[in-house]
Amino acid sequence: MAEIAVIGAGMAGIGAALALQARGHEVLVLDRLWPGEGTSHGNAGLIQAEAAEPYAMPRAPAQLFAIATGRTNDVVWHPRSLPGELPVLWSYFRRSAPKRHAAISEVYRQLTGRAVADHAPVIAEAGAEALIRRTGFGEVAETGAALEATAREAERMRDRHGIASRVAGGTELRAEDPAFREGLAGAVIWRDSWSTTDPGALTAAYARLFKARGGRVARVGVTGIVPDRAGWSVATETGLVEAAQVVLAAGPWSAQLLKPLGYRIPMLLKRGYHGHFRMEGELSRPYFLTGHGVVVASMARGLRITTGAELTGQEARRDLRQLVRGEAAARAVLPLGEAVPDSIWHGHRPCLPDMIPLVGPAPRHDGLWFDFGHGHHGLTLGPTTGILLAEMMEGRDDALARALSPRCR
Ligand SMILES: Cc1cc2nc3c(=O)[nH]c(=O)nc-3n(C[C@H](O)[C@H](O)[C@H](O)COP(=O)(O)OP(=O)(O)OC[C@H]3O[C@@H](n4cnc5c(N)ncnc54)[C@H](O)[C@@H]3O)c2cc1C
């Protein structure tokens, strides 16, 4: 019998396990993969202090037209998956209206605003310094007009949320990152964001810390969660695990595990891809390539190109359109070599239509807790929501706790 079973060993589950352990709880983490091998492995590696506002759904007619007609690399969609996604997209669209998005951002910035500080002690205690860059996150603009627009947005973020940034002209950018070709207009650098050169390894390092402190991790698939007299029975491929309480942190698979308990979670899965390429030298920080919808970052396996959102079924076949376009855009500004063999990956950002993760008590079951739906920022937010969840399990019930608490039936 475990006191608390955490399902999912991604950044969210490991973040929760560490926070609960730090408060004296006995925790068992269950995952069919090794820690950090799920979505937490494949992302762009950003710990995004600048992300005070979650990604809203575009609402301007020109942006919607560009998406509908396939003219942007930020988002692509498939007619066959659209009917199933329409209700959640509609809900996302409504909540992306400026007033509602501003209210949501007031909550969101309380999370991302402390994310770097919540990672810091874990990085130190896990001995993971070598995986971390504290050099910010850049947005490269090819033209003067694009740089001006990006700088204007940075000013707005400074005025509204106090987010620090600076503008680097083309020459300054090349002085910091000589790999970029000459002639680019420059970049906006978000100063306080961090990044990792291997997000999967970072999650695994946090999991090793958890184990070194006496935590248990079992590599096993979970097939169901059933309430029983002592608390919960977690059905696994190798038998039942009894636990007084269960934390569900299974990322994009969470909604599926909750269906038998009667929960219908309106989750939008935004698929993203990465591919690795050889490149002479390294970038000092990750960069978003403005106008091309991809992030480029020097990582353990080479230059990782990470794509934007593809709206498609979780099991749908790969469509490498965004990665192919992203590669072309990266080649135009960086000296990319050949692709690293077998380095293409895809995963899903587990997004809620109101853009805020579900963290807190299950609405209809005592002893069951949610910690999923981190969308675009789960690597950033895992330790933060883990701490908040642990506090909520001990009775925290303030405005932030209520805003995060599961909003589903
Ligand atoms: C392309 C892309 C780029 C991204 N870039 C960034 C970024 O730069 N910065 C950032 O902060 N976020 C980023 N994200 C988002 C981030 O990766 C996710 O929000 C985060 O990894 C989610 O963490 P998690 O622990 O909830 O999920 P996961 O890491 O997926 O962990 C869930 C775990 O649950 C396990 N599991 C599921 N079902 C079962 C079962 N039945 N039995 C046993 N185990 C199970 C899985 O094996 C998995 O290990 C990106 C996402 C994508 C797709």
Side-chain angles (χ1 to χ4, degrees):
M1 172 100 182
E3 186 199 341
I4 301 174
V6 175
I7 301 173
M11 190 50 94
I14 295 298
L18 279 165
L20 288 163
Q21 183 184 54
R23 282 161 180 76
H25 298 286
E26 183 253 317
V27 184
L28 165 68
V29 176
L30 303 163
D31 199 310
R32 60 188 167 212
L33 302 173
W34 292 120
E37 287 186 346
T39 325
S40 298
H41 146 79
N43 53 61
L46 299 164
I47 301 176
Q48 289 183 264
E50 93 292 347
E53 299 182 356
Y55 286 104
M57 181 167 167
R59 288 171 60 96
Q63 286 173 304
L64 291 172
F65 183 73
I67 294 171
T69 54
R71 281 177 206 185
T72 165
N73 205 35
D74 294 332
V75 184
V76 302
W77 60 286
H78 297 272
R80 64 179 177 280
S81 64
L82 200 60
E85 284 163 353
L86 269 180
V88 69
L89 281 172
W90 175 238
S91 174
Y92 184 24
F93 180 79
R94 285 173 45 230
R95 288 172 165 96
S96 298
K99 259 193 174 168
R100 294 182 84 172
H101 185 249
I104 288 167
S105 299
E106 287 307 310
V107 174
Y108 208 72
R109 71 176 190 174
Q110 294 177 59
L111 304 177
T112 52
R114 56 178 276 185
V116 155
D118 289 335
H119 272 274
V122 195
I123 291 167
E125 288 155 26
E129 286 295 340
L131 297 170
I132 298 296
R133 287 197 178 111
R134 293 182 173 80
T135 47
F137 166 41
E139 293 194 30
V140 171
E142 287 169 52
T143 64
L147 185 60
E148 261 174 47
T150 310
R152 265 199 310 278
E153 175 60 9
E155 276 170 26
R156 189 188 68 78
M157 291 295 280
R158 181 199 59 205
D159 296 345
R160 182 167 292 179
H161 303 293
I163 305 291
S165 63
R166 67 185 164 89
V167 177
T171 313
E172 198 181 334
L173 175 65
R174 266 176 55 81
E176 294 176 29
D177 270 312
F180 279 113
R181 75 159 165 79
E182 279 178 45
L184 298 175
V188 166
I189 316 291
W190 304 100
R191 292 168 184 264
D192 297 332
S193 298
W194 293 0
S195 60
T196 172
T197 50
D198 191 336
L202 185 68
T203 313
Y206 288 10
R208 279 197 299 278
L209 175 66
F210 166 71
K211 284 203 275 185
R213 291 176 170 170
R216 287 182 294 149
V217 177
R219 190 178 176 191
V220 68
V222 170
T223 52
I225 327 170
V226 186
D228 66 15
R229 260 177 300 154
W232 288 87
S233 279
V234 180
T236 76
E237 288 157 351
T238 55
L240 286 184
V241 173
E242 302 287 335
Q245 306 199 68
V246 168
V247 173
L248 182 62
W253 298 275
S254 301
Q256 201 165 301
L257 278 167
L258 284 172
K259 258 193 199 161
L261 291 173
Y263 293 103
R264 296 286 172 267
I265 311 290
M267 200 184 266
L268 181 66
L269 298 182
K270 297 188 194 171
R271 182 182 285 187
Y273 297 80
H274 80 220
H276 290 260
F277 297 84
R278 301 198 202 288
M279 193 180 89
E280 284 277 312
E282 287 198 353
L283 294 176
S284 67
R285 63 176 72 88
Y287 289 93
F288 178 70
L289 301 185
T290 306
H292 302 289
V294 289
V295 172
V296 291
S298 291
M299 290 218 183
R301 293 190 72 191
L303 187 88
R304 179 179 287 190
I305 300 180
T306 311
T307 67
E310 179 190 9
L311 303 179
T312 190
Q314 198 167 9
E315 302 304 330
R317 283 172 41 193
R318 281 182 174 175
D319 172 351
L320 296 181
R321 243 184 303 174
Q322 286 164 296
L323 192 55
V324 169
R325 290 183 197 151
E327 179 192 341
R331 277 191 193 285
V333 295
L334 290 167
L336 244 59
E338 61 199 22
V340 174
D342 298 325
S343 72
I344 294 179
W345 169 93
H346 75 265
H348 300 89
R349 301 169 180 91
C351 301
L352 277 306
D354 66 4
M355 295 160 260
I356 293 179
L358 294 182
V359 181
R364 284 183 281 103
H365 293 87
D366 287 343
L368 175 63
W369 301 83
F370 294 177
D371 186 10
F372 59 83
H374 295 71
H376 291 254
H377 297 127
L379 182 76
T380 302
L381 292 178
T384 300
T385 54
I387 293 168
L388 290 166
L389 177 76
E391 290 171 358
M392 289 160 84
M393 289 173 79
E394 290 176 351
R396 178 171 176 162
D397 184 26
D398 58 359
L400 180 59
R402 285 192 291 277
L404 297 174
S405 283
R407 307 160 300 280
C408 59
R409 275 167 286 128

